[in-house]
Amino acid sequence: MGGSAIDDDWELPSPTSEVRTVVLVGRTGNGKSATGNSILRRRAFKSMSSSAGVTSTCELQMTVLEDGQILNVIDTPGLFDFSAEPEFIGKEIVKCINMAKDGIHAVLVVLSVRSRFSREEEAAVQSLRKFFGTKISDYMIVVFTGGDDLEENDETLDDYLGRDCPEPLKEILEMCGNRCVLFDNKTKEETKKSEQLMQLLSLVNEIVDNNSGKPYTDELFVELRKGANKLRDQTVEVNSLEGYTKQEITELKDQFHKSYEEQLKRITEMVETKLKETTHRLEQQLAEEQTARLKAEAMAQAAQMKSNDEIRQLREHLERAQRETEELRKHAESGRCVIL
Ligand SMILES: Nc1nc2c(ncn2[C@@H]2O[C@H](COP(=O)(O)OP(=O)(O)OP(=O)(O)O)[C@@H](O)[C@H]2O)c(=O)[nH]1
Ligand SMILES: [Mg+2]
């Protein structure tokens, strides 16, 4: 992980349990909750069309897959959304990491074929990578929702990506090893539902294999888990204490909770600071890219103008020459001059 307070190479020991965790991220309205419901095969997350964000906080739901694999699905509000306050995003990131505990097995970047791939989306993915480090790309899968829309036009995902795929989207797909899948969250067809889910789960398996079973973690995961474990141990210890009054036990527990809350607050502040840094750096980068683009456009325009000017001059020369030739011809016809 980049940045000052948080480093890259933090690993948790591989979890012994078979639980896997996937996190849904993406712009509001792209269909994160709907995709979560398709994975869970039940309406667990609230999903609906709305001009404002529907999901307001991270939520975890669990399912047992056909092969017995336990899968945790974390739905999120628009994390890494530039329009949201860093304080809000910071709290949600900490909450999400706290929920993921042992780490994240796959990050599902939800895009929609029903809306244009925007600069905000590009920036959101870049900011995800800047915040969690480039290692996060090894865990990313792009889920395109709106498969029904493509089907209506007799198009496949390859057709869709083949026509006018914006360069930044191509880069994102390449970055995550071209792991992408099309989802139709509206379908009632059982075969289609299970086929698209199988495709997604096989990509999750691919990620797990590629990363030797290690889920994504970093220092934040370690710190948060240490805090939670400490609180759990302290609670067990206090419960087994003898010779203390009920009130004394309650007071001790309150004290431990307070120190855990304080630790959470400290980590959240750390995340907020890092987010601000990330956003600032990204804004600078985007501004620089924008300036470079404008400069290139201006130069191209100037070159065009220059050549337009040259063409105009050439045309004027030509017209003048034609006029002179015509005059000479007229003179020649009147016998006053000879054309050579
Ligand atoms: N036609 C079609 N509509 C979809 C599909 N997936 C999601 N939607 C619709 O898109 C709208 C937004 O879906 P949500 O699941 O609420 O989107 P979200 O990303 O969770 O949005 P927030 O919670 O606001 O961040 C809803 O009306 C969904 O029914 C799909 O595959 N096809
Ligand atoms: Mg939602």
Side-chain angles (χ1 to χ4, degrees):
M1 201 186 261
S4 53
I6 304 160
D7 291 325
D8 253 337
D9 297 324
W10 285 81
E11 305 280 354
L12 285 174
S14 293
T16 43
S17 66
E18 276 301 299
V19 180
R20 284 184 186 171
T21 303
V22 298
V23 179
L24 294 146
V25 298
R27 192 175 58 173
T28 181
N30 273 2
K32 298 179 292 293
S33 305
T35 305
N37 291 338
S38 296
I39 299 171
L40 296 161
R41 286 161 298 163
R42 63 177 195 270
R43 275 192 67 84
F45 301 123
K46 191 162 132 195
S47 162
M48 57 199 259
S49 72
S50 160
S51 52
V54 174
T55 307
S56 57
T57 188
C58 291
E59 193 183 327
L60 181 144
Q61 292 282 341
M62 195 261 280
T63 188
V64 182
L65 302 174
E66 278 175 5
D67 59 1
Q69 170 76 60
I70 299 172
L71 186 72
N72 284 335
V73 181
I74 301 180
D75 188 18
T76 66
L79 294 183
F80 300 101
D81 183 338
F82 272 91
S83 56
E85 290 298 319
E87 286 75 15
F88 166 76
I89 302 177
K91 281 193 186 70
E92 287 303 318
I93 289 179
V94 170
K95 192 172 172 191
C96 177
I97 294 176
N98 239 343
M99 282 175 172
K101 283 196 199 81
D102 291 326
I104 296 169
H105 292 82
V107 178
L108 311 183
V109 179
V110 181
L111 302 178
S112 172
V113 300
R114 299 162 73 229
S115 58
R116 296 250 173 275
F117 179 77
S118 62
R119 271 190 77 68
E120 286 73 30
E121 265 164 333
E122 179 194 350
V125 176
Q126 283 191 26
S127 121
L128 180 88
R129 287 183 86 224
K130 277 204 159 44
F131 187 85
F132 286 112
T134 48
K135 187 172 84 161
I136 198 73
S137 314
D138 298 341
Y139 293 84
M140 276 169 26
I141 297 172
V142 178
V143 179
F144 289 95
T145 64
D148 45 329
D149 266 37
L150 284 192
E151 202 173 291
E152 260 175 39
N153 298 324
D154 278 333
E155 272 196 316
T156 62
L157 184 57
D158 283 343
D159 294 335
Y160 169 77
L161 293 174
R163 95 178 125 79
D164 305 333
C165 182
E167 207 51 45
L169 176 55
K170 273 189 204 159
E171 281 166 19
I172 289 174
L173 288 168
E174 257 169 52
M175 203 168 67
C176 59
N178 286 311
R179 286 181 296 270
C180 62
V181 61
L182 182 65
F183 256 64
D184 172 358
N185 292 313
K186 292 282 183 192
T187 188
K188 299 268 181 286
E189 280 175 47
E190 289 304 322
T191 357
K192 196 174 182 187
K193 280 187 193 174
S194 67
E195 267 174 21
Q196 59 190 25
L197 183 56
M198 291 310 283
Q199 270 181 39
L200 175 70
L201 295 175
S202 86
L203 290 176
V204 174
N205 285 342
E206 189 184 309
I207 288 179
V208 172
D209 287 347
N210 289 351
N211 295 301
S212 318
K214 267 192 204 156
Y216 176 86
T217 57
D218 63 19
E219 186 200 15
L220 279 175
F221 285 77
V222 178
E223 285 296 312
L224 286 166
R225 201 161 74 155
K226 262 201 252 165
N229 286 349
K230 190 171 159 197
L231 179 66
R232 188 200 54 213
D233 294 346
Q234 285 171 331
T235 312
V236 171
E237 219 174 295
V238 167
N239 283 340
S240 64
L241 282 178
E242 283 174 16
Y244 284 80
T245 65
K246 222 173 166 184
Q247 182 167 357
E248 281 169 333
I249 301 251
T250 313
E251 273 172 16
L252 268 175
K253 278 189 185 168
D254 282 353
Q255 209 177 313
F256 294 147
H257 266 282
K258 224 170 136 196
S259 104
Y260 175 63
E261 294 297 331
E262 268 163 19
Q263 193 209 9
L264 269 189
K265 202 168 154 236
R266 193 175 47 78
I267 293 177
T268 308
E269 279 166 6
M270 207 163 95
V271 169
E272 280 165 16
T273 311
K274 189 168 162 56
L275 262 176
K276 281 179 195 156
E277 275 170 25
T278 306
T279 313
H280 181 65
R281 265 188 291 149
L282 199 59
E283 275 170 353
Q284 262 180 339
Q285 187 189 321
L286 291 177
E288 277 165 21
E289 279 171 18
Q290 175 85 343
T291 313
R293 206 173 13 246
L294 288 177
K295 207 169 150 191
E297 275 171 19
M299 277 166 73
Q301 220 171 4
Q304 183 68 35
M305 277 166 71
K306 195 169 166 242
S307 63
N308 281 349
D309 209 35
E310 280 167 2
I311 290 170
R312 189 178 47 78
Q313 279 180 12
L314 212 65
R315 192 178 297 129
E316 278 172 11
H317 276 132
L318 207 69
E319 281 169 3
R320 204 179 316 132
Q322 273 172 347
R323 266 199 314 274
E324 283 170 8
T325 314
E326 183 65 12
E327 270 171 32
L328 282 171
R329 195 181 55 77
K330 280 181 188 160
H331 280 292
E333 275 174 8
S334 62
R336 275 180 282 159
C337 188
V338 180
I339 298 173
L340 296 174

